[in-house]
Amino acid sequence: MRALINDSLRFSIGAAIRALGAVVTVVHRLRICFFSYNQNRLVRKYKISDQTPVRSYGKELEALVRDAASSKRDVVRFAMTSGSTGTPKRVLFTRKRLRALKLVFSDFYVRSCWAFWIKRTTLYVFSSFSEDESLTSMLLEETRLPSYFSTLQAPYRVQCHPAVRKLRLKYGDTAVRLWVLTLSNPGVLYSTNPSTVSTFFDELRSNWEFCSKLIRDWWHDCEAFDPDVRHIAHRITSRGSTERLAAIAGSINAQSIDTYAPAVTSYICWTGGYVKAFLERLEKYLPADRYRLIPMYSMSTETVETIADFRSESVSFLPNAPGVLYEFREKGDVRLLKPHQLEPGHAYSLIVSDNYGLLRYDTGDVFLCRKRVGNLPDLLFQCRRNLEYSFTGEKLTADQVTAAFENTISLDGNRLSDQFLTCIPSQPDSDPVPHYKVVVVTDGSGVVQQSLGNLSKTCDRFFADLNCEYKAKRDSGRLGPVRSVTMTRWDFLKLTTGGKSESWEGQFKFLPLYVQTWEAMTRMRDEG
């Protein structure tokens, strides 16, 4: 009976969300109409003039952030960026700003439900179980169990409860997520980075017995669990959960999502930049003919960069976030351009100003202008402009590394296509010359081990073919040959996040090239 009541309420919530989505869509279109007026207002508010310099992150910008923090009457907090491409940055947040960011996501979600007519709007977010100084953690933190209606719509929020956290310590994160998904049967999955969802599915496939143990124990004797856990299960259960739990408890092989969450029809994640490998991997678990991928708008810790716009089931990304002043610069051009001056087919770096210390801040993010929507450009994230490394002037770039990996995988017969490859510069004290490490992030399968034999030589050759300076430095002996390393996802996560992998999974980025050396990462991991 409780499952029937819960799903009836979910149906009503879904109808309300779709109706709200229709209203919010009208408001969104009105914001587009008033975009130029709002941008001119922000120019005056932030006191931007022709003399205002463009700044990268550094001491000058840090001083502006501190000044902005001292002027706020609200509670001030600082979020740390992941530091994947350099030193982590401290970004100013207040309660008001955090609420505004939550509204940006809510606005995006309800408009998605209206645009794609999502019937079961129950949302499961692959959020971290731990807390840290990241923006993701700040946005998802809960001090107590949310209301009954909130957990009907967003069942992942029950994971903040101490009783559920105890389950995680005993059974692991993947097992708890599987339990919540099976009970609640959501309609939409969300993860900022597709690697998070991909890793969840990979873990189920490779370690099913351990990941399904919570459900097996629950199925055989749910009364043995903490009363709070039983209460939480009661409030998020849905029709068919008994059958789904039984199917998982009785299975010795990994089950597909159709078994434990058959209502899922859509998933939301970021699709820009360097996530192609994980989107392709996800499609094996969530095939396109059955599940709709809704691309998320671009957002960094520093600012919201674009807002999604839905028209006739097509998605565009517009520079129209509240409170953000947008300017752009084309490569090789010192002129600053306004959004209406961007030309389709051209790529531009994004420069933003806001009320939190970022004044003409060069994000380093490059966007391709695909077309125009009204008077605004449709911007597709391409890459980070400064994602390159150089020991002796070779300036190896992420685009070159990506192309080399694609060629290497093709030559390897695609045996490495299911793994993640990345490149990390290395200059150990014991070696006379530096080199680049190609890291295979793997589950340790034998196929990958067999493929590593020629990986170093192949990547080294392609780096030289794509970068003449790299070739010259290799020929002269100023650079050593590429070396291959294999690591598990967990070990790689700890390496690239300074040992904070347990709680930084929501912000963690897989990149083709890192601009920190292997030795610096190792030192940060050991100290963290």
Side-chain angles (χ1 to χ4, degrees), residues 427-467:
Q427 190 169 21
D429 294 335
S430 58
D431 286 356
V433 294
H435 66 275
Y436 288 89
K437 292 186 186 297
V438 171
V439 183
V440 183
V441 185
T442 176
D443 56 8
S445 66
V447 171
V448 174
Q449 295 299 327
Q450 294 169 10
S451 301
L452 286 178
N454 296 319
L455 179 61
S456 300
K457 293 181 180 179
T458 304
C459 286
D460 199 41
R461 185 175 77 251
F462 282 127
F463 287 173
D465 290 343
L466 293 163
N467 185 316

Short mmCIF file of all heavy atoms in Angstrom, two decimals, residues 427-467:
data_model
loop_
_atom_site.label_atom_id
_atom_site.label_comp_id
_atom_site.label_asym_id
_atom_site.label_seq_id
_atom_site.Cartn_x
_atom_site.Cartn_y
_atom_site.Cartn_z
N GLN A 427 59.39 14.19 -14.28
CA GLN A 427 60.81 14.54 -14.23
C GLN A 427 61.38 14.10 -12.89
O GLN A 427 61.67 14.91 -12.01
CB GLN A 427 61.00 16.04 -14.43
CG GLN A 427 62.46 16.44 -14.64
CD GLN A 427 62.60 17.88 -15.09
OE1 GLN A 427 61.71 18.70 -14.89
NE2 GLN A 427 63.74 18.20 -15.71
N PRO A 428 61.58 12.80 -12.71
CA PRO A 428 62.12 12.30 -11.44
C PRO A 428 63.57 12.74 -11.24
O PRO A 428 64.32 12.93 -12.21
CB PRO A 428 62.01 10.78 -11.60
CG PRO A 428 61.97 10.55 -13.07
CD PRO A 428 61.29 11.73 -13.67
N ASP A 429 63.96 12.89 -9.99
CA ASP A 429 65.33 13.32 -9.67
C ASP A 429 66.37 12.33 -10.18
O ASP A 429 67.51 12.71 -10.47
CB ASP A 429 65.48 13.50 -8.16
CG ASP A 429 64.63 14.64 -7.64
OD1 ASP A 429 64.30 15.55 -8.43
OD2 ASP A 429 64.27 14.62 -6.44
N SER A 430 65.98 11.07 -10.27
CA SER A 430 66.95 10.03 -10.65
C SER A 430 67.22 9.96 -12.15
O SER A 430 68.14 9.27 -12.58
CB SER A 430 66.43 8.67 -10.17
OG SER A 430 65.15 8.40 -10.73
N ASP A 431 66.39 10.66 -12.96
CA ASP A 431 66.56 10.61 -14.41
C ASP A 431 67.21 11.89 -14.92
O ASP A 431 66.84 13.00 -14.49
CB ASP A 431 65.21 10.43 -15.10
CG ASP A 431 64.68 9.01 -14.94
OD1 ASP A 431 65.40 8.18 -14.36
OD2 ASP A 431 63.55 8.75 -15.38
N PRO A 432 68.14 11.79 -15.87
CA PRO A 432 68.80 13.00 -16.39
C PRO A 432 67.90 13.84 -17.28
O PRO A 432 68.12 15.05 -17.44
CB PRO A 432 69.99 12.44 -17.17
CG PRO A 432 69.56 11.06 -17.56
CD PRO A 432 68.70 10.56 -16.43
N VAL A 433 66.87 13.21 -17.91
CA VAL A 433 65.97 13.96 -18.79
C VAL A 433 64.52 13.65 -18.42
O VAL A 433 64.22 12.56 -17.91
CB VAL A 433 66.21 13.60 -20.28
CG1 VAL A 433 67.58 14.07 -20.73
CG2 VAL A 433 66.04 12.11 -20.52
N PRO A 434 63.63 14.59 -18.65
CA PRO A 434 62.21 14.35 -18.34
C PRO A 434 61.55 13.48 -19.42
O PRO A 434 62.12 13.25 -20.50
CB PRO A 434 61.60 15.76 -18.34
CG PRO A 434 62.46 16.53 -19.30
CD PRO A 434 63.85 15.97 -19.14
N HIS A 435 60.34 13.03 -19.13
CA HIS A 435 59.59 12.24 -20.09
C HIS A 435 58.09 12.39 -19.79
O HIS A 435 57.71 13.01 -18.79
CB HIS A 435 59.99 10.76 -20.01
CG HIS A 435 59.62 10.10 -18.71
ND1 HIS A 435 60.42 10.18 -17.60
CD2 HIS A 435 58.53 9.39 -18.33
CE1 HIS A 435 59.85 9.52 -16.59
NE2 HIS A 435 58.70 9.05 -17.01
N TYR A 436 57.26 11.80 -20.63
CA TYR A 436 55.82 11.79 -20.41
C TYR A 436 55.37 10.37 -20.10
O TYR A 436 55.82 9.42 -20.76
CB TYR A 436 55.07 12.32 -21.64
CG TYR A 436 55.21 13.81 -21.83
CD1 TYR A 436 56.26 14.33 -22.59
CD2 TYR A 436 54.32 14.70 -21.24
CE1 TYR A 436 56.41 15.69 -22.76
CE2 TYR A 436 54.45 16.07 -21.41
CZ TYR A 436 55.50 16.56 -22.17
OH TYR A 436 55.64 17.93 -22.33
N LYS A 437 54.50 10.26 -19.11
CA LYS A 437 53.92 8.95 -18.76
C LYS A 437 52.53 8.85 -19.39
O LYS A 437 51.71 9.76 -19.23
CB LYS A 437 53.80 8.79 -17.25
CG LYS A 437 55.12 8.68 -16.51
CD LYS A 437 54.88 8.38 -15.04
CE LYS A 437 56.18 8.41 -14.24
NZ LYS A 437 57.14 7.38 -14.67
N VAL A 438 52.27 7.77 -20.08
CA VAL A 438 50.93 7.44 -20.54
C VAL A 438 50.33 6.49 -19.52
O VAL A 438 50.86 5.39 -19.29
CB VAL A 438 50.94 6.81 -21.94
CG1 VAL A 438 49.56 6.28 -22.29
CG2 VAL A 438 51.39 7.84 -22.96
N VAL A 439 49.26 6.94 -18.89
CA VAL A 439 48.63 6.16 -17.82
C VAL A 439 47.37 5.49 -18.35
O VAL A 439 46.51 6.16 -18.94
CB VAL A 439 48.27 7.07 -16.62
CG1 VAL A 439 47.69 6.25 -15.48
CG2 VAL A 439 49.50 7.84 -16.15
N VAL A 440 47.27 4.19 -18.16
CA VAL A 440 46.07 3.45 -18.51
C VAL A 440 45.29 3.21 -17.23
O VAL A 440 45.75 2.49 -16.34
CB VAL A 440 46.42 2.10 -19.18
CG1 VAL A 440 45.14 1.38 -19.60
CG2 VAL A 440 47.33 2.31 -20.36
N VAL A 441 44.14 3.85 -17.12
CA VAL A 441 43.28 3.68 -15.95
C VAL A 441 42.39 2.49 -16.25
O VAL A 441 41.54 2.52 -17.14
CB VAL A 441 42.46 4.94 -15.67
CG1 VAL A 441 41.66 4.79 -14.39
CG2 VAL A 441 43.37 6.16 -15.57
N THR A 442 42.56 1.42 -15.50
CA THR A 442 42.02 0.12 -15.90
C THR A 442 41.48 -0.65 -14.71
O THR A 442 41.70 -0.31 -13.55
CB THR A 442 43.13 -0.69 -16.58
OG1 THR A 442 42.65 -1.99 -16.90
CG2 THR A 442 44.35 -0.85 -15.65
N ASP A 443 40.76 -1.73 -15.04
CA ASP A 443 40.32 -2.67 -14.03
C ASP A 443 41.29 -3.83 -13.87
O ASP A 443 41.01 -4.80 -13.17
CB ASP A 443 38.92 -3.20 -14.36
CG ASP A 443 38.86 -3.84 -15.73
OD1 ASP A 443 39.93 -4.00 -16.36
OD2 ASP A 443 37.76 -4.17 -16.19
N GLY A 444 42.43 -3.74 -14.57
CA GLY A 444 43.45 -4.78 -14.45
C GLY A 444 43.21 -6.01 -15.29
O GLY A 444 43.75 -7.07 -15.03
N SER A 445 42.38 -5.88 -16.34
CA SER A 445 42.09 -7.04 -17.16
C SER A 445 43.32 -7.47 -17.94
O SER A 445 44.18 -6.67 -18.28
CB SER A 445 40.95 -6.73 -18.14
OG SER A 445 41.36 -5.75 -19.07
N GLY A 446 43.36 -8.73 -18.28
CA GLY A 446 44.48 -9.27 -19.02
C GLY A 446 44.63 -8.67 -20.40
O GLY A 446 45.73 -8.52 -20.92
N VAL A 447 43.49 -8.30 -21.02
CA VAL A 447 43.54 -7.72 -22.36
C VAL A 447 44.37 -6.45 -22.36
O VAL A 447 45.19 -6.21 -23.24
CB VAL A 447 42.10 -7.43 -22.86
CG1 VAL A 447 42.15 -6.63 -24.15
CG2 VAL A 447 41.34 -8.72 -23.07
N VAL A 448 44.16 -5.62 -21.35
CA VAL A 448 44.91 -4.37 -21.27
C VAL A 448 46.38 -4.65 -21.05
O VAL A 448 47.25 -4.04 -21.65
CB VAL A 448 44.35 -3.47 -20.15
CG1 VAL A 448 45.23 -2.25 -19.98
CG2 VAL A 448 42.93 -3.07 -20.47
N GLN A 449 46.71 -5.58 -20.17
CA GLN A 449 48.10 -5.89 -19.90
C GLN A 449 48.81 -6.34 -21.18
O GLN A 449 49.95 -5.98 -21.44
CB GLN A 449 48.18 -7.00 -18.83
CG GLN A 449 47.64 -6.58 -17.46
CD GLN A 449 48.41 -5.43 -16.87
OE1 GLN A 449 49.60 -5.29 -17.09
NE2 GLN A 449 47.73 -4.58 -16.11
N GLN A 450 48.12 -7.11 -22.01
CA GLN A 450 48.71 -7.56 -23.25
C GLN A 450 48.92 -6.40 -24.22
O GLN A 450 49.82 -6.41 -25.05
CB GLN A 450 47.81 -8.61 -23.91
CG GLN A 450 47.71 -9.90 -23.10
CD GLN A 450 46.62 -10.81 -23.64
OE1 GLN A 450 46.08 -10.58 -24.70
NE2 GLN A 450 46.30 -11.84 -22.87
N SER A 451 48.06 -5.36 -24.11
CA SER A 451 48.13 -4.23 -25.04
C SER A 451 49.22 -3.24 -24.67
O SER A 451 49.52 -2.34 -25.46
CB SER A 451 46.78 -3.50 -25.06
OG SER A 451 45.75 -4.36 -25.46
N LEU A 452 49.81 -3.36 -23.49
CA LEU A 452 50.76 -2.37 -23.03
C LEU A 452 52.13 -2.51 -23.65
O LEU A 452 52.95 -1.60 -23.57
CB LEU A 452 50.90 -2.44 -21.50
CG LEU A 452 49.73 -1.88 -20.70
CD1 LEU A 452 49.99 -2.07 -19.22
CD2 LEU A 452 49.52 -0.42 -21.01
N GLY A 453 52.39 -3.66 -24.27
CA GLY A 453 53.72 -3.92 -24.78
C GLY A 453 54.24 -2.84 -25.71
O GLY A 453 55.37 -2.37 -25.56
N ASN A 454 53.41 -2.43 -26.69
CA ASN A 454 53.85 -1.45 -27.67
C ASN A 454 53.24 -0.07 -27.44
O ASN A 454 53.43 0.83 -28.27
CB ASN A 454 53.48 -1.93 -29.09
CG ASN A 454 54.21 -3.21 -29.46
OD1 ASN A 454 55.40 -3.35 -29.16
ND2 ASN A 454 53.50 -4.12 -30.09
N LEU A 455 52.49 0.10 -26.34
CA LEU A 455 51.79 1.36 -26.11
C LEU A 455 52.75 2.54 -26.02
O LEU A 455 52.53 3.59 -26.64
CB LEU A 455 50.94 1.27 -24.85
CG LEU A 455 50.17 2.52 -24.46
CD1 LEU A 455 49.18 2.90 -25.55
CD2 LEU A 455 49.44 2.32 -23.13
N SER A 456 53.82 2.38 -25.26
CA SER A 456 54.77 3.48 -25.09
C SER A 456 55.38 3.91 -26.41
O SER A 456 55.42 5.10 -26.75
CB SER A 456 55.89 3.07 -24.12
OG SER A 456 55.37 2.74 -22.85
N LYS A 457 55.84 2.95 -27.20
CA LYS A 457 56.47 3.26 -28.48
C LYS A 457 55.49 3.90 -29.45
O LYS A 457 55.82 4.84 -30.18
CB LYS A 457 57.07 1.99 -29.09
CG LYS A 457 58.24 1.42 -28.31
CD LYS A 457 58.79 0.17 -29.00
CE LYS A 457 59.97 -0.40 -28.21
NZ LYS A 457 60.49 -1.63 -28.86
N THR A 458 54.25 3.38 -29.46
CA THR A 458 53.25 3.90 -30.39
C THR A 458 52.89 5.34 -30.05
O THR A 458 52.84 6.21 -30.93
CB THR A 458 51.99 3.03 -30.36
OG1 THR A 458 52.35 1.67 -30.65
CG2 THR A 458 50.98 3.50 -31.38
N CYS A 459 52.65 5.62 -28.77
CA CYS A 459 52.31 6.98 -28.37
C CYS A 459 53.48 7.93 -28.61
O CYS A 459 53.30 9.07 -29.05
CB CYS A 459 51.91 7.01 -26.89
SG CYS A 459 50.28 6.32 -26.55
N ASP A 460 54.69 7.46 -28.33
CA ASP A 460 55.88 8.27 -28.56
C ASP A 460 55.97 8.67 -30.04
O ASP A 460 56.27 9.84 -30.38
CB ASP A 460 57.11 7.49 -28.13
CG ASP A 460 58.32 8.38 -27.89
OD1 ASP A 460 58.15 9.47 -27.31
OD2 ASP A 460 59.43 7.99 -28.29
N ARG A 461 55.70 7.74 -30.92
CA ARG A 461 55.77 8.00 -32.35
C ARG A 461 54.69 9.00 -32.79
O ARG A 461 54.96 9.94 -33.56
CB ARG A 461 55.62 6.70 -33.15
CG ARG A 461 55.81 6.89 -34.65
CD ARG A 461 55.77 5.59 -35.41
NE ARG A 461 54.42 5.08 -35.59
CZ ARG A 461 53.92 4.02 -34.97
NH1 ARG A 461 54.67 3.33 -34.11
NH2 ARG A 461 52.69 3.61 -35.19
N PHE A 462 53.49 8.83 -32.27
CA PHE A 462 52.41 9.74 -32.64
C PHE A 462 52.63 11.14 -32.06
O PHE A 462 52.31 12.14 -32.71
CB PHE A 462 51.06 9.19 -32.20
CG PHE A 462 50.51 8.12 -33.10
CD1 PHE A 462 50.11 6.89 -32.59
CD2 PHE A 462 50.42 8.33 -34.47
CE1 PHE A 462 49.61 5.91 -33.42
CE2 PHE A 462 49.92 7.34 -35.31
CZ PHE A 462 49.52 6.13 -34.79
N PHE A 463 53.15 11.23 -30.84
CA PHE A 463 53.48 12.55 -30.29
C PHE A 463 54.46 13.28 -31.22
O PHE A 463 54.32 14.48 -31.47
CB PHE A 463 54.11 12.42 -28.90
CG PHE A 463 53.15 12.03 -27.81
CD1 PHE A 463 53.61 11.73 -26.54
CD2 PHE A 463 51.78 11.96 -28.05
CE1 PHE A 463 52.74 11.38 -25.52
CE2 PHE A 463 50.90 11.60 -27.04
CZ PHE A 463 51.38 11.30 -25.78
N ALA A 464 55.46 12.54 -31.70
CA ALA A 464 56.47 13.13 -32.59
C ALA A 464 55.86 13.52 -33.94
O ALA A 464 56.21 14.56 -34.51
CB ALA A 464 57.62 12.15 -32.79
N ASP A 465 54.95 12.69 -34.46
CA ASP A 465 54.31 13.00 -35.74
C ASP A 465 53.44 14.26 -35.64
O ASP A 465 53.36 15.04 -36.60
CB ASP A 465 53.44 11.83 -36.20
CG ASP A 465 54.26 10.62 -36.62
OD1 ASP A 465 55.49 10.78 -36.86
OD2 ASP A 465 53.70 9.51 -36.69
N LEU A 466 52.80 14.45 -34.49
CA LEU A 466 51.85 15.56 -34.32
C LEU A 466 52.52 16.83 -33.82
O LEU A 466 51.93 17.91 -33.92
CB LEU A 466 50.75 15.14 -33.33
CG LEU A 466 49.81 14.04 -33.82
CD1 LEU A 466 49.06 13.42 -32.64
CD2 LEU A 466 48.81 14.59 -34.83
N ASN A 467 53.73 16.72 -33.26
CA ASN A 467 54.39 17.87 -32.67
C ASN A 467 55.88 17.83 -33.07
O ASN A 467 56.65 17.04 -32.53
CB ASN A 467 54.24 17.83 -31.14
CG ASN A 467 54.80 19.05 -30.45
OD1 ASN A 467 55.88 19.52 -30.77
ND2 ASN A 467 54.07 19.57 -29.46
#
